[in-house]
Amino acid sequence: MIPTLAWTPEGVRFIDQTKLPLEESYVLASTYEQVADVIVTMVVRGAPAIGVSAAYGVALGALRSTAATAQEFAPEFDKVCTRLAGTRPTAVNLFWAIDRMKRLFADLLAAGASMEQVRDRFLAEAHAMYDEDIAACKTMGAFGGALLPAEGGVLTHCNAGALATCGYGTALGVIRAACEQGKKIRVYADETRPFLQGARLTAWELMEDGIDTTVICDNMAASLMRAGRIQAVVVGADRIAANGDFANKIGTYNVAILAREHGIPFYVAAPWSTIDTATPTGDAIPIEERSPVEVTHHGGKQLTPNGVGICNPAFDVTPARYVTAIITERGVLRAPYPESLKAMAEAAG
Ligand code: MRU
C-alpha cells in the first residue's frame, strides 16, 4: 500500500508529495507545529489525508504536553486546534477531524481524565479515523466501480487517490475497484496546473498499481471528449455543500462543463466527512488562494515576466446540476441533492 502517512513511535511519517514522482522521500513530524507545516507546504494534501493528519497533530499536541490533567491541558489544546485549523481553509475534512477531537476532549474533561488517558484516547481516535478512511474508500470503490463502463476512458482531475487519503483513494479508489472488477479502464489524468497533482501524483500511484494511465495537459480534455475517448469522469471533493455544489481542485468546474456538453457522466467520490450540511451552497465555501509563486515558477525556474498580475485560487466550485452522482461510503446519491443528502444524513443519525 502507498504509505501516505503512518504513525511511528517518533511521530507521523509522511511521504513527501512535493518531491514525487522523482524522489520517494519521507518527512517526520514529531510535534503538532510540524504537522501544521507539512499540511501548509503540501507535503501531505488531499482532503481526507489532511483531516487524519490534523487528528494526529492534535494527538501529538497532547503527547508532547507537560500538563498533568485534561483541565491543565485545556488552554494548550485550544492553541493546538487553532493552529491546525488555520492551515488550509477549503477541505472541510480538516475541521471535521478537529471537531471530532474537540468532542472527545469535552467528554474527557467532563470525566476528569488524567493526561495519560487524554494521550491514549487521542491517539486511539486518530488511529480510528485512519482505519475508517481506508474502509470508506474501499466501500466507495465498490459502489463507484459498478458505475463505470466495462471498457473505456475515464478522466480524472488532480489527485484523489491513495496519496490524498490514508489509502486506496476516493476517485482513484473507484477506478481501482473498477479495474479489480475486471473492467478495462484507461485513465486520462489531467496534469492539474499549477501544482501538477495529476501529472506527478495520480500518474505515479496508478503506475505503481499497473493501471493504464495517460497524462494530458488540462487544455486537452475537450478535444479528447469530442473524439470519443472519454466515457466517464470521476473526481474527488474538498467540500460538498448541502445543495450538492462542491469544491475541488481548480479546473474541476471546466471539466464538469465539458462533460455535460459531451453527454459524459460526471461522478464525484467523497467520504461522508467531506459533506458539509452546515454550508448551504457552493457560494459559501471558502476558497484558498495560494502563493503566486506556484504559477510564476516551476521547478525553481521563472515562467512569467516580472511584475505580471497572478491569480492562484486552489479550488473552484462546481454547481450540483453538473453532477451525475455523488459516491459515498453510505451509498450513491442522485439529484435532487438537497433531498438525497438530507435523507442520507438523517438515515445515519
Ligand atoms: O490542493 P490539494 O492537492 O490538497 O487538493 C486536492 C483535491 O482537490 C482533491 O481532489 C480532493 O482533496 C479530494 S482528495 C480524495
Side-chain angles (χ1 to χ4, degrees):
M1 210 173 80
I2 288 163
T4 308
L5 63 139
W7 179 254
T8 75
E10 291 79 38
V12 194
R13 195 186 78 144
F14 295 92
I15 193 164
D16 187 345
Q17 300 195 31
T18 65
K19 303 270 168 45
L20 287 171
L22 300 180
E23 187 186 315
E24 199 176 318
S25 58
Y26 294 84
V27 172
L28 179 75
S30 53
T31 64
Y32 80 87
E33 290 99 332
Q34 288 170 354
V35 172
D37 286 346
V38 300
I39 296 173
V40 169
T41 56
M42 288 171 71
V43 164
V44 67
R45 29 70 48 202
I50 291 170
V52 176
S53 300
Y56 278 117
V58 173
L60 278 170
L63 282 159
R64 301 288 174 256
S65 170
T66 53
T69 61
Q71 203 74 46
E72 198 185 315
F73 178 57
E76 228 179 304
F77 174 76
D78 288 343
K79 202 171 131 202
V80 169
C81 292
T82 304
R83 172 73 185 103
L84 288 163
T87 51
R88 297 196 70 191
T90 304
V92 76
N93 309 62
L94 172 69
F95 308 99
W96 169 87
I98 293 170
D99 283 349
R100 190 161 149 175
M101 298 306 269
K102 282 184 178 170
R103 283 197 301 275
L104 173 61
F105 188 58
D107 290 347
L108 291 166
L109 263 179
S114 69
M115 226 18 228
E116 201 184 330
Q117 286 167 323
V118 171
R119 291 182 187 109
D120 288 352
R121 293 288 303 278
F122 274 14
L123 195 53
E125 193 74 1
H127 287 329
M129 287 189 215
Y130 181 98
D131 292 341
E132 286 166 23
D133 184 50
I134 297 174
C137 288
K138 290 274 172 75
T139 310
M140 260 181 273
F143 286 136
L147 299 174
L148 295 188
E151 193 170 344
V154 175
L155 180 84
T156 190
H157 191 74
C158 193
N159 172 268
L163 287 166
T165 60
C166 297
Y168 205 69
T170 58
L172 298 192
V174 166
I175 289 170
R176 282 195 167 90
C179 295
E180 285 160 19
Q181 289 162 12
K183 296 184 172 181
K184 293 191 171 37
I185 304 292
R186 163 166 292 174
V187 179
Y188 288 96
D190 273 350
E191 64 174 349
T192 319
R193 276 281 290 153
F195 209 70
L196 301 177
Q197 288 94 331
R200 298 186 303 106
L201 308 176
T202 294
W204 180 77
E205 71 163 84
L206 292 181
M207 287 187 73
E208 289 281 300
D209 277 6
I211 293 174
D212 181 350
T213 306
T214 301
V215 171
I216 60 169
C217 301
D218 296 331
N219 50 8
M220 296 173 184
S223 173
L224 263 70
M225 287 181 181
R226 185 147 183 258
R229 291 166 69 176
I230 312 284
Q231 277 62 51
V233 175
V234 194
V235 296
D238 283 80
R239 192 186 293 236
I240 300 175
N243 72 339
D245 294 350
F246 75 101
N248 193 48
K249 181 52 54 191
I250 190 78
T252 302
Y253 180 32
N254 308 32
V255 178
I257 294 169
L258 296 177
R260 168 61 54 86
E261 172 66 19
H262 293 89
I264 296 167
F266 180 90
Y267 300 111
V268 179
W272 199 258
S273 52
T274 303
I275 288 161
D276 179 15
T277 48
T279 295
T281 72
D283 291 344
I285 299 177
I287 300 294
E288 177 183 10
E289 183 78 29
R290 290 190 60 89
S291 165
V293 177
E294 290 179 356
V295 177
T296 57
H297 287 68
H298 185 69
K301 194 170 180 296
Q302 188 170 332
L303 306 171
T304 55
N306 288 334
V308 72
I310 297 291
C311 176
N312 188 18
F315 301 95
D316 59 24
V317 172
T318 299
R321 66 178 180 279
Y322 291 104
V323 179
T324 307
I326 299 174
I327 303 157
T328 76
E329 73 276 30
R330 294 187 185 176
V332 175
L333 294 112
R334 304 268 179 181
Y337 294 108
E339 284 77 6
S340 55
L341 282 163
K342 192 163 178 272
M344 204 170 271
E346 281 168 4

